[in-house]
Amino acid sequence: MERGMRLAINTGGGDAPGLNAVIKAAVMGAYSRNWEVYGIRNGYAGLLNTDDIVRLTPEMVKDICSLGGTILGTTNKGNPFKMPITNLAGETEIRDVSDKVMENFKRLRFDCLIAVGGDGSLEIAYNFFKKGMPVIGVPKTIDNDIRSTVITFGFDTAVNIATEAIDRLHSTAKSHDRVMVVEVMGRHAGWIALHSGVSGSANVILIPEIPFDIEKVSDHINELELQGHHYAIVVVAEGAAPIGGRVMDKGNGEVGRQDVVLGGIGEYVAREIAKRTCKDTRSLVLGHLQRGGSPTTFDRLMGLRFGAAAVRVAEQKRFGTMVALNPLSVTAVPLGDIIGNIKKVPPDIDTIVTAREIGISFGD
Ligand code: F6P
């Protein structure tokens, strides 16, 4: 009789609500086939130092679906192909330790790694696949910017949090006749800003895909003022930039991190609007509030469906793929198709057309 599969599962990159639902469904799907699932802690770090690897049982995952974060821990710094190592002299150098990860993976007799992550973590998974590791990706990110899947889990929760925040800003903005600028996440793609801004009746939405002209943004607010609308809500994605300008960040700083930490565009936009409109203006950054807390029903369901599908795809031995929503069923698409290929907001998408038709400006 063929022995049951030994699956490993890790969660990498920024956390997203719904990660625990994926873990639960993967464990339960494997359990129903008499297979074993092992949890790898902190992305790929747990495959370098294997002391912490834990066999996940149904008992351990039964209550985790409604929890935010990830019971396995995560990191956006531990790329084994470019690992920062501090030597005895205290200097940090970048080394490729992927062979060690491969060695441990084989030694532990794992048959497949279910890698739950965003573009960065899935690229690492793909690189391991090319080295011979059987991997299946699960698309995770609140930014919803992964290709070949209609949606990633985590996005719905983030959009709901952002929409609720925008709703709350209306009353305070209106009471003070102010312009409120709210910066939401969205590194390369403006999905969160677009969906929350349209649903929350923002007046201006600024996204990375549509470089903005601050004069046009201010003109729109001045026009509203003339029409008797004395306050305004501006939603800006952290990765948005003015025409000819650059994305604002907080510098490199963190050792081993591939991406810079973004931030500052909301404050910039608020300052520039204040100069051009003579209106009181305030800015706020929603930041990690969008990632924290319990997942919505949609994200729980999506996480469960993706986790269960990953086990089905493992059973079919379709490695080197990523489970994807397409759109009514969950399928598997080649990992290679999505690497280095962010899913941006198409500027002519219906949601943008709708937004324009209901009077929202994109500053273009
Ligand atoms: O990729 C998801 C994301 O939430 C981005 O929108 C954001 O730029 C980044 O993660 C923030 O990461 P960190 O948790 O490292 O600050």
Side-chain angles (χ1 to χ4, degrees):
M1 197 177 78
E2 204 186 339
R3 81 167 166 87
M5 288 183 97
R6 276 165 72 88
L7 306 180
I9 184 166
N10 70 352
T11 54
D15 67 333
L19 280 166
N20 288 324
V22 179
I23 297 168
K24 175 177 174 161
V27 170
M28 298 310 293
Y31 184 77
S32 70
R33 291 167 169 84
N34 282 323
W35 299 355
E36 293 175 354
V37 180
Y38 291 82
I40 311 296
R41 294 198 55 79
N42 300 327
Y44 292 86
L47 276 172
L48 272 175
N49 175 355
T50 55
D51 293 350
D52 254 5
I53 291 182
V54 57
R55 174 152 177 220
L56 298 170
T57 63
E59 181 59 24
M60 290 160 90
V61 299
K62 74 176 190 312
D63 293 330
I64 65 171
C65 190
S66 60
L67 300 181
T70 160
I71 60 163
L72 294 176
T74 188
T75 175
N76 46 20
K77 293 182 184 167
N79 181 351
F81 292 88
K82 290 177 189 164
M83 184 67 87
I85 311 271
T86 307
N87 62 24
L88 290 174
E91 296 149 348
T92 301
E93 49 191 68
I94 302 296
R95 283 207 214 133
D96 180 349
V97 294
S98 58
D99 286 344
K100 183 77 193 157
V101 170
M102 287 299 290
E103 197 184 303
N104 286 336
F105 185 86
K106 285 182 190 150
R107 180 175 55 78
L108 292 162
R109 294 183 297 113
F110 290 138
D111 298 300
C112 171
L113 172 69
I114 297 179
V116 191
D119 56 333
S121 309
L122 292 176
E123 183 169 357
I124 297 170
Y126 185 54
N127 288 335
F128 275 119
F129 173 67
K130 288 192 284 188
K131 269 178 102 87
M133 187 187 286
V135 301
I136 292 165
V138 176
K140 165 246 56 161
T141 164
I142 66 162
D143 289 0
N144 192 33
D145 60 1
I146 297 180
R147 280 218 167 266
S148 305
T149 182
V150 171
I151 211 144
T152 56
F153 67 86
F155 173 64
D156 186 64
T157 308
V159 169
N160 274 285
I161 292 167
T163 305
E164 191 197 331
I166 297 164
D167 283 348
R168 287 174 183 275
L169 289 176
H170 277 272
S171 60
T172 176
K174 188 172 185 180
S175 303
H176 288 266
D177 286 350
R178 276 179 178 156
V179 178
M180 299 295 297
V181 180
V182 54
E183 181 180 311
V184 298
M185 282 189 175
R187 174 170 286 271
H188 305 292
W191 294 104
I192 297 176
L194 179 64
H195 284 219
S196 63
V198 174
S199 308
S201 299
N203 304 100
V204 178
I205 300 173
L206 305 176
I207 59 176
E209 293 85 348
I210 305 180
F212 63 87
D213 178 345
I214 196 67
E215 300 297 341
K216 295 215 168 120
V217 172
S218 305
D219 287 352
H220 186 71
I221 291 167
N222 282 329
E223 185 58 35
L224 288 171
E225 181 75 27
L226 289 175
Q227 291 165 9
H229 193 284
H230 304 299
Y231 74 98
I233 307 286
V234 178
V235 180
V236 52
E238 60 182 352
I243 296 169
R246 61 174 193 88
V247 172
M248 295 194 180
D249 64 63
K250 296 180 174 171
N252 267 321
E254 295 177 350
V255 176
R257 193 190 158 107
Q258 312 279 301
D259 287 326
V260 290
V261 176
L262 298 186
I265 189 69
E267 179 55 25
Y268 165 82
V269 167
R271 227 180 19 245
E272 296 303 313
I273 290 174
K275 280 190 216 157
R276 291 167 175 81
T277 63
C278 298
K279 292 197 68 65
D280 288 352
T281 305
R282 297 286 188 274
S283 71
L284 68 150
V285 180
L286 280 194
H288 295 80
L289 282 176
Q290 295 158 98
R291 294 219 310 242
S294 191
T296 56
T297 309
F298 183 88
D299 281 338
R300 291 178 202 193
L301 186 58
M302 221 45 259
L304 291 169
R305 291 178 67 195
F306 279 157
V311 176
R312 285 198 296 274
V313 175
E315 188 166 40
Q316 296 156 4
K317 300 200 167 29
R318 295 166 66 196
F319 303 121
T321 59
M322 179 192 81
V323 295
L325 185 68
N326 188 16
L328 285 183
S329 61
V330 175
T331 56
V333 298
L335 260 177
D337 286 2
I338 61 130
I339 304 305
N341 205 358
I342 290 291
K343 180 179 74 186
K344 291 188 171 270
V345 177
D348 54 355
I349 196 173
D350 170 74
T351 315
I352 291 198
V353 175
T354 303
R356 292 191 194 277
E357 286 176 359
I358 63 175
I360 296 174
S361 163
F362 288 86
D364 57 341

